[in-house]
Amino acid sequence: MTTEQHPADLWPGERPEAARRLLLAAVDSFASRGYHATTTRDIATAAGMSPAALYIHYPSKAALLAEISRHGHAATLALVEEAVAHGGDPLTRMRHLVEGFTAWHARGHTVGRIVNYELRALPPEDFAVVAELRRRIEDTVKQVIEDGVAAGLFEVPETRTAARAVTSLGIDVARWYNERSSESPEQLGQRYGELVLRMLGAPG
Amino acid sequence: MTTEQHPADLWPGERPEAARRLLLAAVDSFASRGYHATTTRDIATAAGMSPAALYIHYPSKAALLAEISRHGHAATLALVEEAVAHGGDPLTRMRHLVEGFTAWHARGHTVGRIVNYELRALPPEDFAVVAELRRRIEDTVKQVIEDGVAAGLFEVPETRTAARAVTSLGIDVARWYNERSSESPEQLGQRYGELVLRMLGAPG
């Protein structure tokens, strides 16, 4: 059992309540034991169900991992695209993007770890879907940097490395952040927003 | 089996060759299967030994993890302290520190992942040793930032958050870097050195 409050928007009500319980149980089990050492029986037990009941909803633990991973990546892509659609100059867009991306990985650090550290355990077809979502996140970040460079607001030696550093800072929050951290997810997001703008050479 | 070239300085020749083989086998097994799903039999087999022969050198797989983790942390602390002892102004020291720290996590990404992502699996007394090494790494980074601020070379809103961002960028390299990456560990180190100096508000 994790002490983390699962984000309220994690698997909202549309799907069967049993499937939602299984996803939450899978997150907790993968987080505490690691994906490879978790059995479908562990997940079913944590969800208060029988293994047979689990199989009604998911054919395997890989199917659970795939749904967690796809959902987590889709959620971060959505917030990154929303930050950009929010408008403003590239500086404002990048600030919003980093604030949201950082806060998401702090608030959802348990899910964030699974989503980012268990990629190699995904079945090939799910990996392809997730890789495409990751590419779109990276491309969105790169586009904002390029817009900023074109507008004379940013100045970076290598766009791809800079984009990588931006996403990397946010993703690594899932590794070290916990509820005892002195900064709230939002505070951390704001501070990281400042640091990233400087990193991209924005005027002070 | 990993395709990574194990850094040549990983467990140099002093210790018994069998112990060294077991450590390398443990690194490969933990990396491909995860710590929790790896058995001592897996490690012994990968090292071409019997489980009984493994126990001559290590009482448990936790003892192997602890040695890998202690060694990895001691190595990164050493390079961070060396970069600082190297001298020069805080700007030069920070550049050397980031270059070395980043390149280490790229070159040794397989070990870097185990060292950073399996902390919670360490027995308490080993965790305490490793936590102390991590604290010293973080403190060294913080000290260089504070020296830079005092010298008017850096300007950061919050030293602790900035120090965290510096180490975080380097550590996360272990997650995403692989041998197909377009940048060499040294190139990446140089680019990250540039990005970090900007992040800390160093004059352009």
Side-chain angles (χ1 to χ4, degrees), chain B residues 10-201:
Chain B
L10 201 58
W11 307 298
E14 312 129 40
R15 79 185 67 232
E17 173 58 22
R20 196 172 164 277
R21 247 162 60 213
L22 284 166
L23 287 167
L24 292 171
V27 166
D28 286 340
S29 304
F30 295 159
S32 60
R33 230 175 291 232
Y35 173 77
H36 290 286
T38 299
T39 63
T40 47
R41 179 174 290 276
D42 295 330
I43 299 169
T45 304
M49 291 163 61
S50 69
L54 180 150
Y55 291 119
I56 295 172
H57 301 280
Y58 294 98
S60 63
K61 78 171 171 167
L64 278 154
L65 176 65
E67 177 144 355
I68 293 164
S69 193
R70 277 199 316 266
H71 186 279
H73 281 93
T76 45
L77 174 61
L79 78 82
V80 158
E81 287 182 337
E82 215 175 282
V84 171
H86 196 280
D89 62 12
L91 206 138
T92 309
R93 277 182 270 152
M94 181 57 78
R95 188 193 296 276
H96 284 143
L97 189 161
V98 172
E99 283 176 359
F101 195 70
T102 303
W104 190 93
H105 284 87
R107 210 178 306 116
H109 58 83
T110 304
V111 171
R113 274 175 218 155
I114 295 164
V115 157
N116 285 294
Y117 301 147
E118 303 287 7
L119 287 177
R120 285 181 301 173
L122 289 172
E125 60 275 25
D126 297 299
F127 180 81
V129 172
V130 165
E132 171 62 16
L133 294 170
R134 292 180 82 86
R135 206 187 49 72
R136 285 172 60 191
I137 293 170
E138 199 92 8
D139 283 353
T140 307
V141 174
K142 230 173 84 186
Q143 189 58 55
V144 181
I145 296 178
E146 280 166 4
D147 292 351
V149 169
L153 290 165
F154 296 152
E155 195 255 302
V156 291
E158 232 278 312
T159 314
R160 205 162 144 267
T161 308
R164 175 71 88 168
V166 171
T167 53
S168 184
L169 262 182
I171 288 170
D172 195 55
V173 167
R175 176 185 59 82
W176 63 262
Y177 192 88
N178 64 46
E179 283 63 34
R180 296 181 307 284
S181 297
S182 57
E183 296 159 304
S184 72
E186 290 69 30
Q187 271 178 327
L188 185 67
Q190 280 163 18
R191 289 176 179 169
Y192 267 34
E194 279 301 320
L195 293 173
V196 163
L197 290 185
R198 288 150 165 256
M199 194 168 80
L200 300 176

Side-chain angles (χ1 to χ4, degrees), chain A residues 149-168:
Chain A
V149 170
L153 290 166
F154 297 152
E155 195 254 303
V156 292
E158 231 279 312
T159 313
R160 206 164 142 268
T161 308
R164 175 72 88 170
V166 171
T167 53
S168 184

Side-chain angles (χ1 to χ4, degrees), chain A residues 115-195:
Chain A
V115 157
N116 285 295
Y117 302 147
E118 303 289 6
L119 286 178
R120 283 180 304 173
L122 288 172
E125 60 276 26
D126 297 299
F127 180 81
V129 172
V130 164
E132 170 63 15
L133 293 170
R134 292 179 81 87
R135 207 187 49 71
R136 285 172 61 191
I137 293 170
E138 199 93 8
D139 283 353
T140 307
V141 173
K142 230 174 84 187
Q143 189 58 55
V144 180
I145 297 178
E146 280 166 5
D147 292 350
V149 170
L153 290 166
F154 297 152
E155 195 254 303
V156 292
E158 231 279 312
T159 313
R160 206 164 142 268
T161 308
R164 175 72 88 170
V166 171
T167 53
S168 184
L169 262 181
I171 288 170
D172 196 54
V173 167
R175 177 185 58 81
W176 64 263
Y177 191 89
N178 65 47
E179 282 63 35
R180 296 182 305 285
S181 297
S182 57
E183 296 158 304
S184 72
E186 290 69 29
Q187 270 178 327
L188 184 67
Q190 281 163 17
R191 289 175 179 169
Y192 268 34
E194 279 302 320
L195 292 173

Side-chain angles (χ1 to χ4, degrees), chain A residues 24-67:
Chain A
L24 292 171
V27 166
D28 286 340
S29 304
F30 296 160
S32 60
R33 231 174 290 231
Y35 173 77
H36 291 286
T38 299
T39 64
T40 47
R41 179 173 291 277
D42 294 331
I43 299 168
T45 304
M49 291 162 60
S50 68
L54 181 150
Y55 291 119
I56 294 173
H57 301 280
Y58 294 98
S60 63
K61 77 171 172 169
L64 278 153
L65 176 66
E67 177 144 355

